[in-house]
Every structure is written in structure tokens, then in C-alpha cells.
Amino acid sequence: MAMQKWFGEARLGIFVHWGIYAVDGVAESWAFYDGTVTHEQYMNQLHGFTASRYDPHAWAELFARAGAGYAVLTAKHHDGVALFDTRHSDLSVVRRTPAGRDLVAGYADALRERGLKVGLYFSHSDWSHPDYATVRHPAPQEVPVNDSRFSTPPEGREDPARWDRYLDFRAAQVREVAELFRPDLLWFDGEWERSEEQWQMDALARDVVSLLPETVLNARLTGHGDYATPEQGLPVEPPEGPWELCLTVNDSWGHQHTDDNHKSVGQLVRCFTETIGMGGNLLLAVGPREDGTIPQAQADRLLGLGTWITRHAEAVHGTVAGLPPGHHYGPSTLSADGRTLYLVCFGTPHETVSVRGLSTPVKRVTVLGNGDVLAHRVTGGLGHVPGVLWIDAPTGGQVDPHATVLAVELDADLDVYRGRGRQ
């Protein structure tokens, strides 16, 4: 596999966890796995899943206005319920719910019409399949959550033949997703429950690449993915290579009726800029209701983030990670040609904004979004150790309510000093 250029340029994706769990507002799949409800109670939600107001074109429009370049929809979560018309199981919203139709096809078509890349989530694990809980992880102590009858057989009751049958089933469904929807990105999950060898990841990867040679794959296709997927917390040190932070708008992946702990637009802007400042993408999760509508509180936050991105698009698209930590009190990005540094300033800067260790001379500093020029000067410096760049702080209408961006035009390629000075 080779990482596709579009992924690094997208910067923002929308993660859509949609399934029968939205009916009662319980945790997706985990609600029965951890015993919050019985499996029977969980599956009873099939009768209430209608998708009656599902409008994939409205989703695509919202995602585009949020500034996203792609979205990822849960084609099949750990509960085994497929949102597409699978031939290999009757456990789908097509056959078992009032929705009665394939919900993935319309999503894929609508995104492509709007110019967005199509991502689909698929879980290796299937806690409802009769052949799934038939072998144990070779090192179960490493993943304590595996101790469940839905994923692990009793001691001494392993059945490798049934496990091989499950692997055939999984491979068949992955091929269905590949052939039916030709996704630009396949987002695997559930890999922690078995070893790479048990999952036969080599064979699965060969199969996927033969069908979708240009599709981006996440690292949960263990040993074969194109990028890393930390979730729910920005890493202090970014992963090596391409990566994506998976983050919920509130505290839940799917729709939970009582979860109103939504992050503010300002907090989302902060998470987004800190992520792209370290070279990653943000995959921001929303949870539609069972009828297919995205809660207004979540839509409003996507639109708020999109407004900020539109105003500061120059610092977002076509940029790479900016200054290493310690040079500026905030994230930054760098233009592809290495000649413009974008400094993100949270809150209202006072007096000056400073940059340490910048060796490249500065030609001009402007406020991104309105073009106002800010005075700047350098103090100190000794030999090869640069002085401190001081930029007059933006004031009044120059200050963005969420994050102000200063465009620092450089006289040459960016060069920063990382030494310790004269000892």
C-alpha cells in the first residue's frame, strides 16, 4: 500500500457511528459486551431503527461546510449489524429493521457528488457471530477487556475449525464492502482481540489491495496499515508517519440521548489546530439518531469549526507540521514551499507574540483572514544562535474569537535552531 496524497491534504474527516444502538441510546456494541444490557435487549433495538429521516446529501453538505475532506461511516461495528445488504448474514438493517434498505450506498454516492472521499469502518470482531468466540488471544493478559463470553471461549473449549469458518465469513464481508462501494479509505477496528497471525492479516491485506490498490488503510489492519489512529486524546509526541486523531464531539461515539457534554467550537478549533500542527488529521465523530438526523448541537459545532477553517484555509490546506515544541506558545503549520509559517494564537495575545530559535529572516507578518500587517523585530542573538522574534500583538477586530493566525513570511526556507547555546 502507499499513502494517498489526498489524505494528508484533507486535514479533517468526520467519523459517523450510526447503528441500532441509537434507538435506546446505549454504547455501540459495548452495552451488551460489558453487561449493561443483555444481548437480547440490545438486539431488540432492531425493531426501532427506522432511518426515516436519513438524508445522505444533507450529511455530505454538512461535512463539506465543516471543512472536511472525507468521512468514515460504520458499515459494521462489533455488534455484527451491517448497514449494507450483505449476502453472508441476515443480521443487517436491510433485513432486520424497519429501515429496510442499504444505508451505505446512498452515503457513498452523496459524498462523491460533493467531492468528499468515502471512508468505511469495518470491525474485524463480530460479537454476535456464532463462530466468533472460538479461540483465545495468545496473550489475553495484555488486553483484559477480552475476558467476555462474546469474544473468548471457556478454557479448554477452543475450536480452530469454527474460527477458520469465521475468518472466511469476515473476508467475504470485507470483499463485499470493497466491491459494492469502492471506498477511498477502509477503517478497520477490533484488532486487539486476536494476534496478527490469528487474524491472518497478511491474507486479508493481500485480498484488499488486489481489489482496492489505491485505498487508504488504517493501522488496525495490523502490520499493513498506512497510518496510525490514536483516539480521544492528543498524543504529546506524534506517531511516526501519517496519523489521525479520532475524537468525539461529546463523550460518546454513537448517539446517546443524555450525553450533552459537547466540546465548544473553541475547544474543537484548539484540538484541530494542535493536531494539524503536529502533522496529523482530525477525525471528528458525530452520532446520528436512529432516524438518521444529526443532533443540532453537533451540527452547529461542525459548522462553527468549518467557519474557522474557511477563514484560515491558507494555514490549513497545503501545509505541513510547523515549529517543533518550544519555539512558539501554540501550534503552527508551514506552507508546502517552506516559506510561510502560520502561528496559531489562542485567546487574546497581549503586547507581543514571540518566536524563539527562528534562524530565517522574516520579510512580513500579517493577520490571516484580514491581511493587516503587524510590526516585528528581533532582539538578541549571538553568532549562530538566533535572537527572539517579537511580533506586535493583534488587537480589536484582528483577534479571532477562537484562534488568531499570524502568517509569517520568510526570506528563505524555514530554519530553526535547536541547540543549547553557548555552554
Side-chain angles (χ1 to χ4, degrees):
M1 289 80 73
M3 175 54 74
Q4 299 297 308
K5 184 179 179 183
W6 70 259
F7 182 84
E9 294 176 344
R11 313 319 298 268
L12 178 68
I14 306 299
F15 209 178
V16 187
H17 281 67
W18 190 32
I20 65 170
Y21 37 85
V23 174
D24 292 341
V26 296
E28 62 291 332
S29 305
W30 293 95
F32 72 81
Y33 187 89
D34 64 15
T36 302
V37 300
T38 66
H39 187 264
E40 181 181 9
Q41 289 171 320
Y42 184 93
M43 287 300 171
N44 193 52
Q45 295 176 104
L46 288 163
H47 305 299
F49 187 80
T50 67
S52 58
R53 299 173 63 192
Y54 173 44
D55 182 353
H57 290 92
W59 281 16
E61 180 64 23
L62 173 62
F63 300 163
R65 290 178 64 190
Y70 63 107
V72 177
L73 172 65
T74 49
K76 180 187 169 186
H77 208 268
H78 315 317
D79 58 12
V81 182
L83 296 189
F84 59 97
D85 191 10
T86 176
R87 301 185 306 274
H88 302 284
S89 167
D90 72 346
L91 189 51
S92 71
V93 298
V94 182
R95 304 187 188 191
R96 298 280 297 278
T97 77
R101 65 192 188 280
D102 187 312
L103 302 176
V104 176
Y107 154 87
D109 291 343
L111 260 60
R112 290 190 169 112
E113 288 176 19
R114 197 59 177 78
L116 303 179
K117 297 296 185 181
V118 175
L120 292 175
Y121 168 113
F122 187 93
S123 174
H124 295 291
S125 54
D126 184 335
W127 295 332
S128 297
H129 194 282
D131 292 326
Y132 183 69
T134 52
V135 295
R136 305 179 67 86
H137 192 289
Q141 70 278 5
E142 294 182 8
V143 192
V145 75
N146 284 353
D147 188 18
S148 167
R149 68 183 181 87
F150 295 106
S151 63
T152 305
E155 290 284 1
R157 297 280 296 278
E158 291 189 284
D159 191 334
R162 290 180 62 191
W163 175 246
D164 286 343
R165 196 161 63 200
Y166 174 76
L167 290 178
D168 290 341
F169 164 76
R170 179 201 54 169
Q173 284 200 319
V174 171
R175 283 193 293 272
E176 276 186 319
V177 169
E179 292 168 350
L180 288 172
F181 311 114
R182 312 298 299 180
D184 302 291
L185 185 154
L186 263 176
W187 209 101
F188 288 100
D189 199 11
E191 83 297 341
W192 71 86
E193 294 205 319
R194 303 288 186 265
S195 68
E196 182 179 340
E197 293 73 22
Q198 286 175 314
W199 282 125
Q200 295 183 16
M201 291 296 195
D202 288 351
L204 182 63
R206 285 195 300 271
D207 208 9
V208 170
V209 172
S210 69
L211 292 167
L212 304 169
E214 297 184 354
T215 292
V216 175
L217 307 170
N218 73 338
R220 301 183 192 194
L221 183 64
T222 319
H224 300 276
D226 300 308
Y227 71 97
T229 54
E231 58 182 88
Q232 291 294 53
L234 191 69
V236 176
E237 294 286 338
E240 292 185 10
W243 62 282
E244 167 191 78
L245 172 65
C246 312
L247 186 74
T248 51
V249 171
N250 53 6
D251 291 332
S252 309
W253 297 105
H255 180 64
Q256 296 197 23
H257 307 159
T258 59
D259 185 357
D260 58 1
N261 190 30
H262 293 89
K263 298 170 183 67
S264 68
V265 173
Q267 289 172 325
L268 293 177
V269 168
R270 183 179 288 256
C271 292
F272 175 66
T273 55
E274 289 179 340
T275 300
I276 67 173
M278 291 197 292
N281 285 1
L282 177 63
L283 185 63
L284 188 59
V286 296
R289 301 181 184 92
E290 62 81 18
D291 66 4
T293 56
I294 293 174
Q296 194 62 47
Q298 298 190 354
D300 288 345
R301 283 157 174 79
L302 294 189
L303 293 172
L305 177 58
T307 297
W308 187 92
I309 291 174
T310 297
R311 187 178 184 190
H312 303 92
E314 183 183 318
V316 174
H317 299 295
T319 62
V320 296
L323 295 167
H327 291 272
H328 162 61
Y329 292 110
S332 62
T333 59
L334 180 67
S335 60
D337 65 4
R339 292 299 185 96
T340 304
L341 184 64
Y342 301 99
L343 307 177
V344 180
C345 304
F346 300 125
T348 302
H350 296 285
E351 187 182 353
T352 54
V353 174
S354 65
V355 181
R356 299 182 299 281
L358 181 60
S359 299
T360 313
V362 173
K363 292 166 53 178
R364 190 171 75 142
V365 180
T366 57
V367 181
L368 200 60
N370 61 31
D372 289 354
V373 177
L374 300 177
H376 66 277
R377 69 202 65 84
V378 175
T379 63
L382 179 64
H384 67 286
V385 180
V388 177
L389 170 68
W390 302 95
I391 302 168
D392 284 359
T395 60
Q398 297 172 331
V399 178
D400 185 273
H402 303 305
T404 306
V405 180
L406 308 184
V408 180
E409 298 174 30
L410 306 173
D411 202 29
D413 292 346
L414 174 68
D415 183 24
V416 295
Y417 175 74
R418 298 290 288 168
R420 298 181 176 180
R422 183 175 178 182
Q423 301 296 302

